[in-house]
Amino acid sequence: MTVRGTKKITEDIFWIGASDRRLSRFENIFPIPEGVSYNSYFVDDEKTVVFDTADISVSDQYIENLKEVLGDKKLDYLVVLHMEPDHCSLIDTVAALYPDVTVVGNSKTFTFMEQFFPSAAGFKKLEVKEGDTLSTGKHTFHFVAAPMVHWPEVLLAYDDASKALFSADAFGTFGALDGGIFADEYDYEKDFLDSSRRYYANIVGKYGMQVQAALKKAAGLDIQMILSLHGPVWRKNIGWLLEKYEKWSTYTPETEEIALVYGSLYGHTKSAAEAVASGLREKGKTVKVHDVSGTDVSYLIGEVWRCKTIVLICPTYNGGVYPPMEAFLNDMIALGVQNRTFALGQNGTWAPMTVKLMTDKLSALKNVTILENTLTIKSALHSADQGQVDAFVDSIAKA
């Protein structure tokens, strides 16, 4: 049994992170009702080493964990794979507790570190780059550069002894850990997959090319474990996770299912959206309906990464696109969504024009299909609109 919050991964590798179930928004943007873990790893070798620290919100637990695993030993190395504050916030604290520690990172790591912590100018430093190694006795860590996954300084570290890849933010997920450190201790598809996809799409999604480059490097390694900075450790069925990342980083849909996102001021456009969803179900299609005003955009982005076909229906508002829908469109553009089919519908009492405006925005995306058949209702849905709804449904079903 482990003491306090530490977890044994191998005989000499320990998880010393913590979970936060109180934080409402990750990066003060993304809702995380499922919480989040901040992972840090300790290697107990001839030379001791810690990989990354944690967020300031879990500082007390983190420092307890670090002291627990170190005991009366000295800390030789602090390896910084990622300088984002949810992982680097306690660097200064750790360096103050263990002033003889050597901090390991690349040139950009140390540039960022001194921007966050001016005291870092006085740290003992070991600068590394791709191809360099760090030997601690039994373990030899090989550094792999992973720029823009998802910051420019990011490093990965591969351990010859354990065949573990310390993967920084790559392969991470939202979600607090419920007592278990390993992915195979959970029903991952049920407990974490949606959170993992939403994490990837919103935070790393824009950098698909860079993720692909990192995956190609990883393919040359005999990886038996993946130790990310968020979420559980992978030690089984790693191919399943790599397959997900292959799809996500190439903007390949996971499913033929349809995501229908609507905006509605008073319920009339909602009625049209529900009619379309009903028609699609009658044709044997699986569709998930989302209210753009009541669903945080990060969940909608997760659905875009999951589904092949996206149906967007909303009213004209002040001569433009309904604002929550416009924010969703802007997010898709910012994240570089590709390889999707879009079907567009609109409502307007006197001048419906959102189909044209949405088409103009979506045309900026690469390799997307925008169906020619669109849906327009005037003010409210009536039985006279049934033929147009049916034709719209048919075009989506055939796509």
Side-chain angles (χ1 to χ4, degrees):
M1 179 170 176
T2 54
V3 180
R4 299 188 184 182
T6 68
K7 286 283 193 178
K8 182 179 282 191
I9 296 173
T10 69
E11 282 305 307
D12 57 4
I13 300 177
F14 298 81
W15 177 84
I16 58 170
S19 286
D20 188 346
R21 294 177 179 83
R22 296 190 296 180
L23 186 69
S24 63
R25 288 183 179 268
F26 187 80
E27 295 184 351
N28 210 21
I29 301 174
F30 310 111
I32 48 168
E34 65 270 54
V36 67
S37 70
Y38 303 109
N39 300 339
S40 173
Y41 304 98
F42 172 71
V43 181
D44 189 10
D45 205 354
E46 293 172 25
K47 298 285 188 180
T48 59
V49 55
V50 165
F51 283 87
D52 294 286
T53 63
D55 189 80
I56 195 72
S57 65
V58 296
S59 59
D60 288 350
Q61 181 70 64
Y62 178 76
I63 296 302
E64 281 185 6
N65 292 346
L66 177 57
K67 289 179 177 179
E68 180 68 35
V69 291
L70 259 180
D72 58 1
K73 297 177 182 177
K74 64 175 289 194
L75 178 60
D76 293 298
Y77 295 108
L78 171 59
V79 177
V80 179
L81 300 178
H82 187 21
M83 271 301 300
E84 196 168 6
D86 56 329
H87 307 296
C88 83
S89 291
L90 299 174
I91 289 174
D92 203 37
T93 303
V94 171
L97 285 170
Y98 306 99
D100 291 331
V101 69
T102 297
V103 182
V104 183
N106 61 29
S107 60
K108 283 190 172 65
T109 304
F110 292 122
T111 297
F112 295 168
M113 195 178 296
E114 291 186 30
Q115 290 171 188
F116 282 110
F117 308 109
S119 60
F123 290 174
K124 291 173 61 177
K125 300 186 182 76
L126 174 61
E127 186 174 313
V128 296
K129 60 184 183 302
E130 175 153 1
D132 288 347
T133 61
L134 174 68
S135 179
T136 59
K138 174 184 172 184
H139 297 266
T140 299
F141 300 97
H142 298 255
F143 293 102
V144 179
M148 299 316 299
V149 186
H150 61 119
W151 277 27
E153 88 297 355
V154 171
L155 289 169
L156 313 181
Y158 176 73
D159 174 26
D160 281 345
S162 63
K163 312 292 187 189
L165 180 69
F166 294 78
S167 65
D169 266 353
F171 308 110
T173 179
F174 298 134
L177 299 176
D178 296 324
I181 187 60
F182 297 108
D184 54 271
E185 296 180 284
Y186 299 88
D187 180 342
Y188 195 89
E189 289 197 57
K190 172 178 171 288
D191 297 333
F192 283 105
L193 180 56
D194 287 346
S195 295
S196 182
R197 184 191 303 109
R198 185 165 70 96
Y199 173 90
Y200 175 87
N202 286 277
I203 294 173
V204 190
K206 179 179 180 178
Y207 305 108
M209 288 179 61
Q210 290 85 348
V211 173
Q212 278 287 298
L215 287 174
K216 286 181 173 64
K217 293 177 183 180
L221 303 171
D222 179 17
I223 299 172
Q224 300 298 318
M225 288 194 298
I226 295 178
L227 283 63
S228 176
L229 291 178
H230 295 292
V233 169
W234 284 80
R235 62 181 178 180
K236 297 180 181 178
N237 202 19
I238 289 173
W240 180 88
L241 180 65
L242 294 175
E243 182 182 348
K244 291 295 182 186
Y245 259 67
E246 180 67 28
K247 285 182 179 290
W248 295 342
S249 62
T250 55
Y251 300 92
T252 302
E254 285 179 71
T255 175
E256 296 288 319
E257 293 179 16
I258 299 165
L260 192 160
V261 182
Y262 73 87
S264 187
L265 281 78
Y266 300 105
H268 302 103
T269 312
K270 173 183 178 294
S271 295
E274 297 286 6
V276 171
S278 178
L280 289 167
R281 287 281 178 178
E282 289 171 5
K283 290 188 174 293
K285 301 297 181 181
T286 300
V287 58
K288 181 71 174 175
V289 179
H290 306 271
D291 180 350
V292 74
S293 296
T295 308
D296 185 85
V297 70
S298 69
Y299 291 94
L300 302 178
I301 291 295
E303 283 292 87
V304 170
W305 250 259
R306 187 178 70 88
C307 298
K308 179 181 179 181
T309 301
I310 316 298
V311 182
L312 306 175
I313 307 174
C314 77
T316 302
Y317 193 89
N318 286 336
V321 178
Y322 187 53
M325 184 68 78
E326 185 165 33
F328 177 35
L329 292 165
N330 289 340
D331 230 18
M332 282 193 279
I333 293 166
L335 294 170
V337 168
Q338 301 175 29
N339 306 327
R340 295 298 185 273
T341 296
F342 291 93
L344 307 178
Q346 63 187 354
N347 186 6
T349 296
W350 62 91
M353 58 191 302
T354 49
V355 162
K356 178 184 183 306
L357 296 172
M358 289 193 293
T359 299
D360 290 345
K361 280 184 171 289
L362 292 170
S363 296
L365 298 175
K366 294 180 181 178
N367 197 30
V368 299
T369 299
I370 303 171
L371 299 183
E372 290 186 13
N373 199 321
T374 63
L375 174 67
T376 299
I377 65 169
K378 295 286 189 72
S379 301
L381 185 69
H382 301 286
S383 56
D385 297 312
Q386 189 61 53
Q388 188 187 174
V389 170
D390 290 343
F392 187 58
V393 167
D394 284 342
S395 68
I396 298 168
K398 289 174 182 175

